[in-house]
Amino acid sequence: MLWLVLAVAASTWLFLSSERQVVLAGHDAVLRPTMSGKAIIHTGPVLPDVRLDIGGRIGVDVTLGKTELRSMDELFERYAVLGSAPDGQRAVVVEQIESMLVAAVVRGAAVSLAVVTGGVLLWWLPGSQRRADLGRRLKEAVRTRHGLATAGAGVVTVAVVTAAIWQPWGEAGAPRTDKEAGPVAGAWTPLADFLGPEIPVPDELGVVEVRGDAYANQTRRLVASAVDTYNGSRTFYEKVVEKVPDLALREPAEDETVVALVSDRHDNVGMDSVVRAIADEGGATGILDGGDDTSTGSDWETFSLDSLTDASDGLDKWAVTGNHDHGPTVGDYLAKQGWTMLDGKVVEGPGGSTLLGVPDPRTSGLGNWIDEKGVSFEEAGSKLADIACDSMEEGEPVATLLVHDPALGRESLDRGCVTLVVGGHRHVHSGPTEVVGENDQVGWTYTNGTTGGAAYAFAMGKIRRTAEVTLITYADGLPVGVQSVELETNGVLTAHEYVPLEPPTTSE
């Protein structure tokens, strides 16, 4: 019982005094658990802090650090879009807080066990006669004035430490506002009061409060713009998701496997709920990611990877990096999140098929799949064809080649070493186009349009051009058909006809 009491006390203290550094909402951020039951986000000296009730007793204190941005308007748009599709960022915070709690419990249990074990040894080692002597001296000390003062000081110290840990006076209290004089500097103010009656606030933002000294008209204008972007993004994508059940999607047979193909999301996390809805409605059990999930491949863009990973929860996941996913961040991050990152080796793909993929060679380097540096795109395609042809088992081509730009797989098709090459890069749909290899093997090349609806390299918010998700069907270890789903900028969602991948029949 003593060990349990000490373990709970030590674990609580360790948990509430811990912190974790993560990338959140594009910022280097520090998370600290609290007992406030609220999420409090400290944005810095210029922008107002944000607070909202998250339910339960455990809360979190988030301090945002540096980020990359071109303007304050862009920053607020990022906040707004992430607020309208928060699941990815919420999952990161929950995972980190749970990890901190587990670590605190393990450490607290270990420390408490050591303390109890040490206490038992200290009690046992002196022997019964020595313990009796120490007991008599302790009783004499307590009777004296000095002993009473020492004991009292100990009780006060314990009380102060306990109060400091618990902090009952902290953030859980009601916000201070002055209805007549307007927001009070340093007080928590409901978002609706901060913006004023002329700016409507969505009902779900009614629980959000802001605090800060920067209540200038410019700040209010930016916040109001963010609220408008939030409402527009949330409403747009919610309406699209509601339309998905009405799509004429082909229902797979029992012996078929379906995966969703995405590419060129370019940070548009709003589309991820649409991707998952289409995948579920079409019976998909996996997802192929053709790259360019970010605009620059920087650490601050991991929010996009978090969102896609959260939306793909429970699905088999394969990916390659694109030419905009600069550096090692994207590939390494996705790998840690459970994605199979393709790097020049044939792996088991959808429905037991064979799958080969490589990162785009133009900016992300040639990875581990090729040793030569500084080769051209055409030379990289030739090397990839060598890998594909060397990987053919019993004369059977590789079922699927996943690359960012399908042009990289053209030589593999020409040699008849792959059945289907898929990717994106062009931001425009193309295919499936039949290609007959030099060995008379029939293959296809297919280009998925931009899933993020990206006109340029950054695509947060509403789509700027037609967005696309493709469902690929496999049977007997081979791709047998594709079905494209396109979303227009006006919100019109269309499922195109299923296109079977079948060699042409020739009559004798």
Side-chain angles (χ1 to χ4, degrees), residues 122 158 165 190 220 245 294 298 339 349 352 389 410 426 431:
L122 288 175
V158 171
I165 293 174
R220 281 196 178 85
T294 67
S298 301
W339 290 76
C389 295
R410 183 56 195 241
R426 304 292 179 182

Side-chain angles (χ1 to χ4, degrees), residues 393-413:
E393 298 180 2
E394 300 178 356
E396 293 296 325
V398 175
T400 309
L401 176 59
L402 176 63
V403 285
H404 177 59
D405 185 348
L408 189 64
R410 183 56 195 241
E411 186 170 339
S412 298
L413 279 173

Side-chain angles (χ1 to χ4, degrees), residues 81 233 237 264-272 293 303-304 307 451-454 458-464 467:
V81 174
S233 297
Y237 292 111
D264 304 275
R265 292 170 54 255
H266 288 295
D267 294 319
N268 190 0
V269 298
M271 274 295 298
D272 292 337
D293 289 304
F303 69 83
S304 177
S307 178
T451 303
F458 188 69
M460 289 192 74
K462 286 186 62 176
I463 59 174
R464 294 168 174 81

Side-chain angles (χ1 to χ4, degrees), residues 1 21 96 102 106 126 174 185 190 211 253 257 276 278 280-281 298-299 322 345 355 417-419 439 502:
M1 179 60 72
Q21 293 186 347
Q96 293 298 328
V102 170
V106 171
R211 177 181 67 180
T257 300
R276 185 54 191 259
I278 293 172
D280 289 342
E281 190 68 23
S298 301
D299 290 347
K345 295 181 180 179
L355 176 63
C417 298
V418 297
T419 300
N439 58 356
E502 297 176 348

Side-chain angles (χ1 to χ4, degrees), residues 354 388 392 395-401 412-413 416-422 432-435 441-446 474 477-480 501-503:
T354 51
M392 293 176 62
E396 293 296 325
V398 175
T400 309
L401 176 59
S412 298
L413 279 173
C417 298
V418 297
T419 300
L420 175 64
V421 175
V422 295
T433 303
E434 181 183 308
V435 178
Q441 174 67 42
V442 176
W444 289 268
T445 180
Y446 181 82
Y474 290 80
L478 291 173
V480 296
L501 302 179
E502 297 176 348

